[in-house]
Amino acid sequence: MGTKIMVERRVYSNLVKFVIETRKLLMDISERTEFTKEWLSISDIEMEFGLSRKVIDGFRKKGLKSNQKTANGKILIRRTELEKFITKK
């Protein structure tokens, strides 16, 4: 497995810069409170994950656990449950 790939110095430096910028952005995002909340409302999920209300309701019908105290109450879904459900598919 001693294969070497020759990359131009300019391309390599651009790649390194891109990786550094991406790492900084990910660190900034992970520190923002809206991306670290444990319980997410439907609107939070729509904004953060880009899922529509119909898709979320379909997930709930297929077994995604949610918390809704009354029939007209706010629907809350635990972040870890949603991530597990999405990655399981």
Side-chain angles (χ1 to χ4, degrees), residues 25-62:
L25 287 172
L26 288 172
M27 292 301 289
D28 290 345
I29 288 173
S30 66
E31 293 172 0
R32 292 174 56 185
T33 56
E34 64 265 24
F35 294 115
T36 57
K37 293 193 320 189
E38 182 180 359
W39 290 94
L40 302 170
S41 67
I42 299 296
S43 60
D44 292 336
I45 295 170
E46 289 174 334
M47 285 177 35
E48 186 174 337
F49 291 89
L51 300 172
S52 69
R53 173 71 186 235
K54 274 187 172 181
V55 171
I56 298 165
D57 288 341
F59 286 171
R60 291 178 63 213
K61 286 179 184 174
K62 291 179 183 174

